[in-house]
Amino acid sequence: EPEVTQTPSHQVTQMGQEVILRCVPISNHLYFYWYRQILGQKVEFLVSFYNNEISEKSEIFDDQFSVERPDGSNFTLKIRSTKLEDSAMYFCASTGEGYEQYFGPGTRLTVT
Amino acid sequence: DAKTTQPTSMDCAEGRAANLPCNHSTISGNEYVYWYRQIHSQGPQYIIHGLKNNETNEMASLIITEDRKSSTLILPHATLRDTAVYYCIVRVAERNTGNQFYFGTGTSLTVIP
């Protein structure tokens, strides 16, 4: 069964450094999303992406964040200058022609 | 905004049916009810969705009241692996929609041996 994959599974970085989180959505899907979940809190929407541009973004998704689909398979989330409060699980998701979003296993980002 | 209300936690005996309620009194006519679950810190997993008719798949059944203001997810024979946080979400569902999900705090279901 096709699935969303994410790399790395765990990323440790120092405050102020740039990080890129990578996702490979399900191959024929058209919409892509990033969510985050701070430890012990709920899953929060960050951004949705369609047709090579951002469709919607939340207040969390400020100028420090960017997304890109550099080729036909990868979908990336970049945090330009990480802060301690960016430590969280980051989930990628995708939707095809159906109604369900399929989520990846997540990347745990730890900012020290 | 999640637009749904769920109990914070529930217990269920292994092998018994788990019935998870959800209130969505402000649901609009074109909004579906979705259920996802999250096991430990894994990515949310799709379970089932419906508009107004009851739905069943290999994982669960979804019962939606006639006025659509509430619903119940039923796991017919709960196993220890069903221990997870269960999220009830309402949102518009159209083909090729890009609408994102807004998660609430969900119900933490513990299946007891």
Side-chain angles (χ1 to χ4, degrees), chain A residues 33-79:
Chain A
Y33 311 82
W34 283 101
Y35 294 80
R36 80 171 186 190
Q37 186 175 32
I38 295 171
L39 185 64
Q41 299 186 22
K42 61 184 181 181
V43 178
E44 300 174 289
F45 166 72
L46 293 179
V47 65
S48 60
F49 191 87
Y50 171 69
N51 201 25
N52 285 320
E53 61 183 22
I54 291 173
S55 306
E56 301 251 7
K57 60 183 181 179
S58 70
E59 293 178 353
I60 303 168
F61 194 88
D62 61 22
D63 292 344
Q64 293 298 313
F65 292 88
S66 62
V67 289
E68 193 176 36
R69 188 158 163 80
D71 53 41
S73 60
N74 289 285
F75 179 51
T76 62
L77 174 69
K78 181 191 292 186
I79 308 175

Side-chain angles (χ1 to χ4, degrees), chain B residues 15-109:
Chain B
R16 304 296 296 269
N19 297 280
L20 291 92
C22 179
N23 287 320
H24 31 79
S25 58
T26 61
I27 192 170
S28 301
N30 62 346
E31 286 182 316
Y32 282 63
V33 179
Y34 288 80
W35 282 85
Y36 277 75
R37 72 181 183 183
Q38 188 175 27
I39 297 172
H40 194 46
S41 294
Q42 298 176 24
Q45 177 189 22
Y46 167 78
I47 301 173
I48 199 167
H49 76 280
L51 182 63
K52 53 185 178 181
N53 296 323
N54 297 337
E55 302 286 344
T56 295
N57 63 20
E58 64 277 6
M59 288 183 69
S61 294
L62 174 60
I63 309 298
I64 302 174
T65 57
E66 193 168 340
D67 64 7
R68 301 210 323 122
K69 292 185 177 182
S70 65
S71 61
T72 301
L73 177 75
I74 301 173
L75 307 178
H77 305 287
T79 71
L80 299 179
R81 288 177 295 180
D82 292 322
T83 293
V85 178
Y86 287 77
Y87 299 100
C88 168
I89 304 167
V90 297
R91 54 153 266 200
V92 174
E94 299 167 347
R95 289 212 177 271
N96 296 330
T97 183
N99 290 342
Q100 56 276 2
F101 286 113
Y102 290 100
F103 288 79
T105 52
T107 296
S108 178
L109 174 70

Side-chain angles (χ1 to χ4, degrees), chain A:
Chain A
E1 183 175 323
E3 58 184 17
V4 176
T5 59
Q6 291 185 242
T7 54
S9 58
H10 190 191
Q11 173 86 49
V12 181
T13 189
Q14 288 189 328
M15 194 168 51
Q17 295 296 304
E18 175 185 286
V19 294
I20 298 176
L21 309 182
R22 291 182 167 80
C23 168
V24 179
I26 295 173
S27 63
N28 61 347
H29 281 189
L30 304 173
Y31 289 86
F32 314 109
Y33 311 82
W34 283 101
Y35 294 80
R36 80 171 186 190
Q37 186 175 32
I38 295 171
L39 185 64
Q41 299 186 22
K42 61 184 181 181
V43 178
E44 300 174 289
F45 166 72
L46 293 179
V47 65
S48 60
F49 191 87
Y50 171 69
N51 201 25
N52 285 320
E53 61 183 22
I54 291 173
S55 306
E56 301 251 7
K57 60 183 181 179
S58 70
E59 293 178 353
I60 303 168
F61 194 88
D62 61 22
D63 292 344
Q64 293 298 313
F65 292 88
S66 62
V67 289
E68 193 176 36
R69 188 158 163 80
D71 53 41
S73 60
N74 289 285
F75 179 51
T76 62
L77 174 69
K78 181 191 292 186
I79 308 175
R80 187 155 22 125
S81 177
T82 51
K83 302 188 281 286
L84 294 176
E85 53 265 39
D86 293 327
S87 294
M89 284 289 289
Y90 287 81
F91 296 107
C92 173
S94 67
T95 302
E97 292 190 0
Y99 301 118
E100 314 91 61
Q101 282 188 24
Y102 292 93
F103 286 77
T107 292
R108 180 175 300 282
L109 177 65
T110 302
V111 182
T112 62

